[in-house]
PDB file of all heavy atoms in Angstrom:
ATOM      1  N   PRO A   1       0.793  -1.248   0.003  1.00 98.00           N
ATOM      2  CA  PRO A   1       0.009   0.016   0.017  1.00 98.00           C
ATOM      3  C   PRO A   1       0.863   1.247  -0.011  1.00 98.00           C
ATOM      4  O   PRO A   1       1.920   1.310   0.614  1.00 98.00           O
ATOM      5  CB  PRO A   1      -0.788  -0.114   1.312  1.00 98.00           C
ATOM      6  CG  PRO A   1       0.052  -1.003   2.182  1.00 98.00           C
ATOM      7  CD  PRO A   1       0.759  -1.966   1.268  1.00 98.00           C
ATOM      8  N   TYR A   2       0.420   2.261  -0.725  1.00 98.00           N
ATOM      9  CA  TYR A   2       1.045   3.565  -0.775  1.00 98.00           C
ATOM     10  C   TYR A   2       0.059   4.583  -0.305  1.00 98.00           C
ATOM     11  O   TYR A   2      -0.908   4.849  -1.005  1.00 98.00           O
ATOM     12  CB  TYR A   2       1.590   3.895  -2.141  1.00 98.00           C
ATOM     13  CG  TYR A   2       2.265   5.212  -2.308  1.00 98.00           C
ATOM     14  CD1 TYR A   2       3.705   5.346  -2.145  1.00 98.00           C
ATOM     15  CD2 TYR A   2       1.539   6.403  -2.532  1.00 98.00           C
ATOM     16  CE1 TYR A   2       4.282   6.553  -2.272  1.00 98.00           C
ATOM     17  CE2 TYR A   2       2.175   7.624  -2.674  1.00 98.00           C
ATOM     18  CZ  TYR A   2       3.529   7.667  -2.521  1.00 98.00           C
ATOM     19  OH  TYR A   2       4.182   8.930  -2.620  1.00 98.00           O
ATOM     20  N   GLU A   3       0.244   5.176   0.857  1.00 97.00           N
ATOM     21  CA  GLU A   3      -0.728   6.096   1.412  1.00 97.00           C
ATOM     22  C   GLU A   3      -0.604   7.463   0.756  1.00 97.00           C
ATOM     23  O   GLU A   3       0.457   8.077   0.776  1.00 97.00           O
ATOM     24  CB  GLU A   3      -0.565   6.190   2.922  1.00 97.00           C
ATOM     25  CG  GLU A   3      -1.025   4.928   3.624  1.00 97.00           C
ATOM     26  CD  GLU A   3      -1.525   5.198   5.036  1.00 97.00           C
ATOM     27  OE1 GLU A   3      -2.080   6.285   5.260  1.00 97.00           O
ATOM     28  OE2 GLU A   3      -1.365   4.276   5.889  1.00 97.00           O
ATOM     29  N   CYS A   4      -1.715   7.953   0.231  1.00 98.00           N
ATOM     30  CA  CYS A   4      -1.749   9.258  -0.392  1.00 98.00           C
ATOM     31  C   CYS A   4      -2.408  10.271   0.504  1.00 98.00           C
ATOM     32  O   CYS A   4      -3.123   9.895   1.466  1.00 98.00           O
ATOM     33  CB  CYS A   4      -2.561   9.166  -1.692  1.00 98.00           C
ATOM     34  SG  CYS A   4      -1.808   8.018  -2.924  1.00 98.00           S
ATOM     35  N   SER A   5      -2.177  11.541   0.266  1.00 96.00           N
ATOM     36  CA  SER A   5      -2.655  12.632   1.141  1.00 96.00           C
ATOM     37  C   SER A   5      -4.037  13.158   0.668  1.00 96.00           C
ATOM     38  O   SER A   5      -4.659  13.975   1.363  1.00 96.00           O
ATOM     39  CB  SER A   5      -1.677  13.768   1.191  1.00 96.00           C
ATOM     40  OG  SER A   5      -1.427  14.273  -0.133  1.00 96.00           O
ATOM     41  N   SER A   6      -4.481  12.728  -0.496  1.00 97.00           N
ATOM     42  CA  SER A   6      -5.799  13.207  -1.017  1.00 97.00           C
ATOM     43  C   SER A   6      -6.345  12.237  -2.041  1.00 97.00           C
ATOM     44  O   SER A   6      -5.623  11.325  -2.551  1.00 97.00           O
ATOM     45  CB  SER A   6      -5.630  14.598  -1.638  1.00 97.00           C
ATOM     46  OG  SER A   6      -4.863  14.442  -2.891  1.00 97.00           O
ATOM     47  N   GLU A   7      -7.629  12.320  -2.332  1.00 96.00           N
ATOM     48  CA  GLU A   7      -8.239  11.521  -3.339  1.00 96.00           C
ATOM     49  C   GLU A   7      -7.611  11.806  -4.699  1.00 96.00           C
ATOM     50  O   GLU A   7      -7.365  10.877  -5.507  1.00 96.00           O
ATOM     51  CB  GLU A   7      -9.757  11.791  -3.455  1.00 96.00           C
ATOM     52  CG  GLU A   7     -10.555  11.298  -2.256  1.00 96.00           C
ATOM     53  CD  GLU A   7     -12.068  11.461  -2.462  1.00 96.00           C
ATOM     54  OE1 GLU A   7     -12.457  11.919  -3.555  1.00 96.00           O
ATOM     55  OE2 GLU A   7     -12.818  11.143  -1.538  1.00 96.00           O
ATOM     56  N   ILE A   8      -7.346  13.092  -4.941  1.00 97.00           N
ATOM     57  CA  ILE A   8      -6.739  13.465  -6.226  1.00 97.00           C
ATOM     58  C   ILE A   8      -5.396  12.787  -6.496  1.00 97.00           C
ATOM     59  O   ILE A   8      -5.067  12.234  -7.543  1.00 97.00           O
ATOM     60  CB  ILE A   8      -6.638  14.987  -6.337  1.00 97.00           C
ATOM     61  CG1 ILE A   8      -8.053  15.606  -6.387  1.00 97.00           C
ATOM     62  CG2 ILE A   8      -5.856  15.405  -7.591  1.00 97.00           C
ATOM     63  CD1 ILE A   8      -8.037  17.139  -6.359  1.00 97.00           C
ATOM     64  N   GLU A   9      -4.585  12.849  -5.427  1.00 97.00           N
ATOM     65  CA  GLU A   9      -3.235  12.197  -5.544  1.00 97.00           C
ATOM     66  C   GLU A   9      -3.420  10.717  -5.811  1.00 97.00           C
ATOM     67  O   GLU A   9      -2.657  10.135  -6.642  1.00 97.00           O
ATOM     68  CB  GLU A   9      -2.444  12.419  -4.254  1.00 97.00           C
ATOM     69  CG  GLU A   9      -1.049  11.773  -4.340  1.00 97.00           C
ATOM     70  CD  GLU A   9      -0.291  11.817  -3.004  1.00 97.00           C
ATOM     71  OE1 GLU A   9      -0.893  12.186  -1.978  1.00 97.00           O
ATOM     72  OE2 GLU A   9       0.882  11.343  -2.975  1.00 97.00           O
ATOM     73  N   ALA A  10      -4.339  10.083  -5.113  1.00 97.00           N
ATOM     74  CA  ALA A  10      -4.550   8.648  -5.270  1.00 97.00           C
ATOM     75  C   ALA A  10      -4.982   8.313  -6.722  1.00 97.00           C
ATOM     76  O   ALA A  10      -4.515   7.278  -7.294  1.00 97.00           O
ATOM     77  CB  ALA A  10      -5.551   8.138  -4.290  1.00 97.00           C
ATOM     78  N   ARG A  11      -5.856   9.101  -7.302  1.00 97.00           N
ATOM     79  CA  ARG A  11      -6.319   8.875  -8.617  1.00 97.00           C
ATOM     80  C   ARG A  11      -5.256   9.096  -9.699  1.00 97.00           C
ATOM     81  O   ARG A  11      -5.091   8.354 -10.610  1.00 97.00           O
ATOM     82  CB  ARG A  11      -7.555   9.698  -8.958  1.00 97.00           C
ATOM     83  CG  ARG A  11      -8.833   9.238  -8.264  1.00 97.00           C
ATOM     84  CD  ARG A  11     -10.063   9.913  -8.876  1.00 97.00           C
ATOM     85  NE  ARG A  11     -10.079  11.340  -8.551  1.00 97.00           N
ATOM     86  CZ  ARG A  11     -10.688  11.870  -7.499  1.00 97.00           C
ATOM     87  NH1 ARG A  11     -11.351  11.048  -6.625  1.00 97.00           N
ATOM     88  NH2 ARG A  11     -10.698  13.164  -7.273  1.00 97.00           N
ATOM     89  N   THR A  12      -4.466  10.181  -9.484  1.00 97.00           N
ATOM     90  CA  THR A  12      -3.492  10.577 -10.541  1.00 97.00           C
ATOM     91  C   THR A  12      -2.266   9.692 -10.505  1.00 97.00           C
ATOM     92  O   THR A  12      -1.549   9.575 -11.563  1.00 97.00           O
ATOM     93  CB  THR A  12      -3.090  12.027 -10.394  1.00 97.00           C
ATOM     94  OG1 THR A  12      -2.582  12.256  -9.060  1.00 97.00           O
ATOM     95  CG2 THR A  12      -4.302  12.947 -10.646  1.00 97.00           C
ATOM     96  N   LYS A  13      -1.913   9.074  -9.435  1.00 97.00           N
ATOM     97  CA  LYS A  13      -0.694   8.269  -9.334  1.00 97.00           C
ATOM     98  C   LYS A  13      -0.875   6.778  -9.572  1.00 97.00           C
ATOM     99  O   LYS A  13       0.076   6.007  -9.498  1.00 97.00           O
ATOM    100  CB  LYS A  13      -0.028   8.467  -7.957  1.00 97.00           C
ATOM    101  CG  LYS A  13       0.609   9.816  -7.756  1.00 97.00           C
ATOM    102  CD  LYS A  13       1.318   9.869  -6.427  1.00 97.00           C
ATOM    103  CE  LYS A  13       2.061  11.221  -6.269  1.00 97.00           C
ATOM    104  NZ  LYS A  13       2.791  11.267  -4.996  1.00 97.00           N
ATOM    105  N   ILE A  14      -2.101   6.371  -9.899  1.00 97.00           N
ATOM    106  CA  ILE A  14      -2.423   4.970  -9.960  1.00 97.00           C
ATOM    107  C   ILE A  14      -1.534   4.184 -10.957  1.00 97.00           C
ATOM    108  O   ILE A  14      -0.959   3.147 -10.561  1.00 97.00           O
ATOM    109  CB  ILE A  14      -3.921   4.747 -10.328  1.00 97.00           C
ATOM    110  CG1 ILE A  14      -4.281   3.281 -10.281  1.00 97.00           C
ATOM    111  CG2 ILE A  14      -4.357   5.372 -11.638  1.00 97.00           C
ATOM    112  CD1 ILE A  14      -4.437   2.670  -8.953  1.00 97.00           C
ATOM    113  N   ASP A  15      -1.390   4.659 -12.174  1.00 96.00           N
ATOM    114  CA  ASP A  15      -0.597   3.865 -13.133  1.00 96.00           C
ATOM    115  C   ASP A  15       0.877   3.807 -12.761  1.00 96.00           C
ATOM    116  O   ASP A  15       1.507   2.748 -12.882  1.00 96.00           O
ATOM    117  CB  ASP A  15      -0.740   4.526 -14.532  1.00 96.00           C
ATOM    118  CG  ASP A  15      -2.194   4.406 -15.091  1.00 96.00           C
ATOM    119  OD1 ASP A  15      -2.827   3.416 -14.736  1.00 96.00           O
ATOM    120  OD2 ASP A  15      -2.609   5.262 -15.826  1.00 96.00           O
ATOM    121  N   LYS A  16       1.434   4.908 -12.337  1.00 97.00           N
ATOM    122  CA  LYS A  16       2.836   4.935 -11.947  1.00 97.00           C
ATOM    123  C   LYS A  16       3.117   4.006 -10.771  1.00 97.00           C
ATOM    124  O   LYS A  16       4.082   3.226 -10.782  1.00 97.00           O
ATOM    125  CB  LYS A  16       3.273   6.370 -11.574  1.00 97.00           C
ATOM    126  CG  LYS A  16       4.732   6.533 -11.230  1.00 97.00           C
ATOM    127  CD  LYS A  16       5.038   7.939 -10.854  1.00 97.00           C
ATOM    128  CE  LYS A  16       6.520   8.088 -10.463  1.00 97.00           C
ATOM    129  NZ  LYS A  16       6.867   9.502 -10.091  1.00 97.00           N
ATOM    130  N   LEU A  17       2.296   4.030  -9.781  1.00 98.00           N
ATOM    131  CA  LEU A  17       2.491   3.213  -8.585  1.00 98.00           C
ATOM    132  C   LEU A  17       2.326   1.708  -8.870  1.00 98.00           C
ATOM    133  O   LEU A  17       3.071   0.916  -8.385  1.00 98.00           O
ATOM    134  CB  LEU A  17       1.530   3.674  -7.495  1.00 98.00           C
ATOM    135  CG  LEU A  17       1.833   5.016  -6.818  1.00 98.00           C
ATOM    136  CD1 LEU A  17       0.696   5.454  -5.893  1.00 98.00           C
ATOM    137  CD2 LEU A  17       3.163   4.959  -6.024  1.00 98.00           C
ATOM    138  N   ILE A  18       1.343   1.407  -9.679  1.00 97.00           N
ATOM    139  CA  ILE A  18       1.103  -0.040 -10.029  1.00 97.00           C
ATOM    140  C   ILE A  18       2.357  -0.608 -10.728  1.00 97.00           C
ATOM    141  O   ILE A  18       2.715  -1.751 -10.462  1.00 97.00           O
ATOM    142  CB  ILE A  18      -0.148  -0.163 -10.909  1.00 97.00           C
ATOM    143  CG1 ILE A  18      -1.388   0.054 -10.027  1.00 97.00           C
ATOM    144  CG2 ILE A  18      -0.169  -1.556 -11.543  1.00 97.00           C
ATOM    145  CD1 ILE A  18      -2.729  -0.020 -10.796  1.00 97.00           C
ATOM    146  N   SER A  19       2.975   0.174 -11.551  1.00 97.00           N
ATOM    147  CA  SER A  19       4.177  -0.298 -12.266  1.00 97.00           C
ATOM    148  C   SER A  19       5.296  -0.531 -11.273  1.00 97.00           C
ATOM    149  O   SER A  19       6.248  -1.335 -11.642  1.00 97.00           O
ATOM    150  CB  SER A  19       4.601   0.743 -13.303  1.00 97.00           C
ATOM    151  OG  SER A  19       5.102   1.926 -12.696  1.00 97.00           O
ATOM    152  N   GLN A  20       5.234  -0.003 -10.111  1.00 98.00           N
ATOM    153  CA  GLN A  20       6.249  -0.191  -9.069  1.00 98.00           C
ATOM    154  C   GLN A  20       5.822  -1.216  -8.000  1.00 98.00           C
ATOM    155  O   GLN A  20       6.399  -1.322  -6.945  1.00 98.00           O
ATOM    156  CB  GLN A  20       6.566   1.121  -8.362  1.00 98.00           C
ATOM    157  CG  GLN A  20       7.109   2.198  -9.300  1.00 98.00           C
ATOM    158  CD  GLN A  20       7.177   3.607  -8.653  1.00 98.00           C
ATOM    159  OE1 GLN A  20       6.871   3.779  -7.483  1.00 98.00           O
ATOM    160  NE2 GLN A  20       7.604   4.601  -9.421  1.00 98.00           N
ATOM    161  N   LYS A  21       4.727  -1.938  -8.305  1.00 98.00           N
ATOM    162  CA  LYS A  21       4.145  -2.944  -7.424  1.00 98.00           C
ATOM    163  C   LYS A  21       3.674  -2.275  -6.088  1.00 98.00           C
ATOM    164  O   LYS A  21       3.734  -2.847  -5.023  1.00 98.00           O
ATOM    165  CB  LYS A  21       5.137  -4.077  -7.086  1.00 98.00           C
ATOM    166  CG  LYS A  21       5.588  -4.806  -8.360  1.00 98.00           C
ATOM    167  CD  LYS A  21       4.407  -5.499  -9.056  1.00 98.00           C
ATOM    168  CE  LYS A  21       3.837  -6.697  -8.320  1.00 98.00           C
ATOM    169  NZ  LYS A  21       2.747  -7.414  -9.061  1.00 98.00           N
ATOM    170  N   LYS A  22       3.183  -1.050  -6.208  1.00 98.00           N
ATOM    171  CA  LYS A  22       2.574  -0.357  -5.103  1.00 98.00           C
ATOM    172  C   LYS A  22       1.163   0.006  -5.508  1.00 98.00           C
ATOM    173  O   LYS A  22       0.807   0.086  -6.646  1.00 98.00           O
ATOM    174  CB  LYS A  22       3.341   0.923  -4.789  1.00 98.00           C
ATOM    175  CG  LYS A  22       4.795   0.712  -4.344  1.00 98.00           C
ATOM    176  CD  LYS A  22       5.535   2.057  -4.116  1.00 98.00           C
ATOM    177  CE  LYS A  22       6.965   1.770  -3.718  1.00 98.00           C
ATOM    178  NZ  LYS A  22       7.664   3.069  -3.497  1.00 98.00           N
ATOM    179  N   TRP A  23       0.350   0.226  -4.446  1.00 98.00           N
ATOM    180  CA  TRP A  23      -1.079   0.562  -4.772  1.00 98.00           C
ATOM    181  C   TRP A  23      -1.510   1.755  -3.965  1.00 98.00           C
ATOM    182  O   TRP A  23      -1.344   1.829  -2.731  1.00 98.00           O
ATOM    183  CB  TRP A  23      -2.022  -0.635  -4.360  1.00 98.00           C
ATOM    184  CG  TRP A  23      -3.282  -0.593  -5.213  1.00 98.00           C
ATOM    185  CD1 TRP A  23      -4.427   0.096  -4.923  1.00 98.00           C
ATOM    186  CD2 TRP A  23      -3.517  -1.258  -6.458  1.00 98.00           C
ATOM    187  NE1 TRP A  23      -5.368  -0.088  -5.916  1.00 98.00           N
ATOM    188  CE2 TRP A  23      -4.832  -0.976  -6.840  1.00 98.00           C
ATOM    189  CE3 TRP A  23      -2.728  -2.193  -7.214  1.00 98.00           C
ATOM    190  CZ2 TRP A  23      -5.374  -1.482  -8.009  1.00 98.00           C
ATOM    191  CZ3 TRP A  23      -3.305  -2.674  -8.374  1.00 98.00           C
ATOM    192  CH2 TRP A  23      -4.617  -2.312  -8.769  1.00 98.00           C
ATOM    193  N   PRO A  24      -2.062   2.803  -4.629  1.00 98.00           N
ATOM    194  CA  PRO A  24      -2.434   4.011  -3.951  1.00 98.00           C
ATOM    195  C   PRO A  24      -3.661   3.789  -3.048  1.00 98.00           C
ATOM    196  O   PRO A  24      -4.642   3.151  -3.427  1.00 98.00           O
ATOM    197  CB  PRO A  24      -2.823   4.967  -5.070  1.00 98.00           C
ATOM    198  CG  PRO A  24      -3.185   4.097  -6.208  1.00 98.00           C
ATOM    199  CD  PRO A  24      -2.334   2.884  -6.112  1.00 98.00           C
ATOM    200  N   CYS A  25      -3.570   4.275  -1.832  1.00 98.00           N
ATOM    201  CA  CYS A  25      -4.621   4.197  -0.804  1.00 98.00           C
ATOM    202  C   CYS A  25      -4.832   5.585  -0.215  1.00 98.00           C
ATOM    203  O   CYS A  25      -3.872   6.330   0.042  1.00 98.00           O
ATOM    204  CB  CYS A  25      -4.303   3.223   0.316  1.00 98.00           C
ATOM    205  SG  CYS A  25      -3.998   1.541  -0.259  1.00 98.00           S
ATOM    206  N   TYR A  26      -6.092   5.895  -0.005  1.00 97.00           N
ATOM    207  CA  TYR A  26      -6.377   7.170   0.715  1.00 97.00           C
ATOM    208  C   TYR A  26      -7.337   6.874   1.840  1.00 97.00           C
ATOM    209  O   TYR A  26      -8.484   6.495   1.660  1.00 97.00           O
ATOM    210  CB  TYR A  26      -7.018   8.190  -0.213  1.00 97.00           C
ATOM    211  CG  TYR A  26      -7.445   9.475   0.519  1.00 97.00           C
ATOM    212  CD1 TYR A  26      -6.536  10.249   1.127  1.00 97.00           C
ATOM    213  CD2 TYR A  26      -8.799   9.844   0.574  1.00 97.00           C
ATOM    214  CE1 TYR A  26      -6.871  11.409   1.839  1.00 97.00           C
ATOM    215  CE2 TYR A  26      -9.195  10.986   1.265  1.00 97.00           C
ATOM    216  CZ  TYR A  26      -8.235  11.742   1.888  1.00 97.00           C
ATOM    217  OH  TYR A  26      -8.569  12.886   2.586  1.00 97.00           O
ATOM    218  N   PHE A  27      -6.838   6.998   3.067  1.00 96.00           N
ATOM    219  CA  PHE A  27      -7.612   6.773   4.273  1.00 96.00           C
ATOM    220  C   PHE A  27      -7.771   8.087   5.035  1.00 96.00           C
ATOM    221  O   PHE A  27      -6.783   8.795   5.238  1.00 96.00           O
ATOM    222  CB  PHE A  27      -6.966   5.729   5.120  1.00 96.00           C
ATOM    223  CG  PHE A  27      -6.931   4.357   4.507  1.00 96.00           C
ATOM    224  CD1 PHE A  27      -5.759   3.840   3.925  1.00 96.00           C
ATOM    225  CD2 PHE A  27      -8.087   3.552   4.360  1.00 96.00           C
ATOM    226  CE1 PHE A  27      -5.723   2.633   3.331  1.00 96.00           C
ATOM    227  CE2 PHE A  27      -8.045   2.334   3.775  1.00 96.00           C
ATOM    228  CZ  PHE A  27      -6.878   1.864   3.258  1.00 96.00           C
ATOM    229  N   SER A  28      -8.977   8.325   5.471  1.00 95.00           N
ATOM    230  CA  SER A  28      -9.281   9.627   6.137  1.00 95.00           C
ATOM    231  C   SER A  28     -10.204   9.385   7.322  1.00 95.00           C
ATOM    232  O   SER A  28     -10.763   8.320   7.502  1.00 95.00           O
ATOM    233  CB  SER A  28      -9.929  10.589   5.161  1.00 95.00           C
ATOM    234  OG  SER A  28     -11.146  10.034   4.610  1.00 95.00           O
ATOM    235  N   ALA A  29     -10.329  10.405   8.114  1.00 92.00           N
ATOM    236  CA  ALA A  29     -11.201  10.372   9.317  1.00 92.00           C
ATOM    237  C   ALA A  29     -12.670  10.155   8.864  1.00 92.00           C
ATOM    238  O   ALA A  29     -13.104  10.714   7.910  1.00 92.00           O
ATOM    239  CB  ALA A  29     -11.066  11.611  10.146  1.00 92.00           C
ATOM    240  N   SER A  30     -13.357   9.353   9.667  1.00 91.00           N
ATOM    241  CA  SER A  30     -14.774   9.131   9.432  1.00 91.00           C
ATOM    242  C   SER A  30     -15.588  10.424   9.783  1.00 91.00           C
ATOM    243  O   SER A  30     -15.536  10.855  10.934  1.00 91.00           O
ATOM    244  CB  SER A  30     -15.274   7.952  10.243  1.00 91.00           C
ATOM    245  OG  SER A  30     -16.702   7.794  10.067  1.00 91.00           O
ATOM    246  N   ASP A  31     -16.327  10.955   8.848  1.00 90.00           N
ATOM    247  CA  ASP A  31     -17.087  12.189   9.108  1.00 90.00           C
ATOM    248  C   ASP A  31     -18.467  12.133   8.488  1.00 90.00           C
ATOM    249  O   ASP A  31     -19.060  13.156   8.228  1.00 90.00           O
ATOM    250  CB  ASP A  31     -16.301  13.418   8.564  1.00 90.00           C
ATOM    251  CG  ASP A  31     -16.018  13.329   7.073  1.00 90.00           C
ATOM    252  OD1 ASP A  31     -16.351  12.293   6.459  1.00 90.00           O
ATOM    253  OD2 ASP A  31     -15.459  14.287   6.543  1.00 90.00           O
ATOM    254  N   THR A  32     -18.977  10.935   8.215  1.00 91.00           N
ATOM    255  CA  THR A  32     -20.302  10.805   7.631  1.00 91.00           C
ATOM    256  C   THR A  32     -21.306  10.332   8.683  1.00 91.00           C
ATOM    257  O   THR A  32     -21.018   9.786   9.705  1.00 91.00           O
ATOM    258  CB  THR A  32     -20.262   9.778   6.497  1.00 91.00           C
ATOM    259  OG1 THR A  32     -19.710   8.558   6.954  1.00 91.00           O
ATOM    260  CG2 THR A  32     -19.426  10.315   5.354  1.00 91.00           C
ATOM    261  N   SER A  33     -22.596  10.638   8.368  1.00 91.00           N
ATOM    262  CA  SER A  33     -23.686  10.348   9.290  1.00 91.00           C
ATOM    263  C   SER A  33     -23.758   8.883   9.633  1.00 91.00           C
ATOM    264  O   SER A  33     -23.597   7.993   8.777  1.00 91.00           O
ATOM    265  CB  SER A  33     -25.044  10.804   8.739  1.00 91.00           C
ATOM    266  OG  SER A  33     -25.012  12.207   8.586  1.00 91.00           O
ATOM    267  N   GLY A  34     -24.051   8.576  10.896  1.00 90.00           N
ATOM    268  CA  GLY A  34     -24.389   7.195  11.323  1.00 90.00           C
ATOM    269  C   GLY A  34     -23.281   6.243  11.461  1.00 90.00           C
ATOM    270  O   GLY A  34     -23.512   5.046  11.604  1.00 90.00           O
ATOM    271  N   GLU A  35     -22.020   6.728  11.453  1.00 87.00           N
ATOM    272  CA  GLU A  35     -20.915   5.787  11.538  1.00 87.00           C
ATOM    273  C   GLU A  35     -20.393   5.657  12.990  1.00 87.00           C
ATOM    274  O   GLU A  35     -19.903   6.634  13.562  1.00 87.00           O
ATOM    275  CB  GLU A  35     -19.743   6.247  10.633  1.00 87.00           C
ATOM    276  CG  GLU A  35     -20.005   6.065   9.128  1.00 87.00           C
ATOM    277  CD  GLU A  35     -20.107   4.612   8.718  1.00 87.00           C
ATOM    278  OE1 GLU A  35     -19.574   3.721   9.463  1.00 87.00           O
ATOM    279  OE2 GLU A  35     -20.767   4.350   7.734  1.00 87.00           O
ATOM    280  N   LYS A  36     -20.544   4.494  13.589  1.00 83.00           N
ATOM    281  CA  LYS A  36     -20.032   4.215  14.913  1.00 83.00           C
ATOM    282  C   LYS A  36     -18.519   3.978  14.848  1.00 83.00           C
ATOM    283  O   LYS A  36     -18.090   3.337  13.922  1.00 83.00           O
ATOM    284  CB  LYS A  36     -20.750   2.969  15.449  1.00 83.00           C
ATOM    285  CG  LYS A  36     -21.538   3.134  16.740  1.00 83.00           C
ATOM    286  CD  LYS A  36     -22.168   1.850  17.141  1.00 83.00           C
ATOM    287  CE  LYS A  36     -22.893   1.963  18.461  1.00 83.00           C
ATOM    288  NZ  LYS A  36     -23.573   0.733  18.824  1.00 83.00           N
ATOM    289  N   ASP A  37     -17.822   4.389  15.853  1.00 75.00           N
ATOM    290  CA  ASP A  37     -16.363   4.216  15.842  1.00 75.00           C
ATOM    291  C   ASP A  37     -15.966   2.793  16.332  1.00 75.00           C
ATOM    292  O   ASP A  37     -14.841   2.367  16.231  1.00 75.00           O
ATOM    293  CB  ASP A  37     -15.633   5.296  16.612  1.00 75.00           C
ATOM    294  CG  ASP A  37     -16.025   5.335  18.096  1.00 75.00           C
ATOM    295  OD1 ASP A  37     -16.970   4.574  18.456  1.00 75.00           O
ATOM    296  OD2 ASP A  37     -15.478   6.153  18.809  1.00 75.00           O
ATOM    297  N   THR A  38     -16.927   2.065  16.945  1.00 76.00           N
ATOM    298  CA  THR A  38     -16.679   0.735  17.388  1.00 76.00           C
ATOM    299  C   THR A  38     -17.993  -0.092  17.300  1.00 76.00           C
ATOM    300  O   THR A  38     -18.983   0.427  16.881  1.00 76.00           O
ATOM    301  CB  THR A  38     -16.114   0.705  18.810  1.00 76.00           C
ATOM    302  OG1 THR A  38     -15.730  -0.634  19.170  1.00 76.00           O
ATOM    303  CG2 THR A  38     -17.181   1.190  19.825  1.00 76.00           C
TER     304      THR A  38
END
């Protein structure tokens, strides 16, 4: 996994990272309705 800082970075780097056997991931804080933290 290759952690990106934004959705845009994750989308734009996909081809380059895959060629390096890496995969773009974007993980962020949960901020949507109805999501329990546990």
Side-chain angles (χ1 to χ4, degrees):
Y2 179 93
E3 289 208 32
C4 299
S5 59
S6 68
E7 290 186 4
I8 294 174
E9 181 188 5
R11 284 193 293 267
T12 56
K13 288 186 175 180
I14 184 76
D15 292 330
K16 181 180 179 180
L17 288 170
I18 287 177
S19 67
Q20 300 171 1
K21 301 299 288 184
K22 298 177 182 178
W23 205 275
C25 300
Y26 176 62
F27 296 103
S28 59
S30 177
D31 58 357
T32 54
S33 296
E35 289 294 335
K36 239 180 177 178
D37 59 357
T38 188

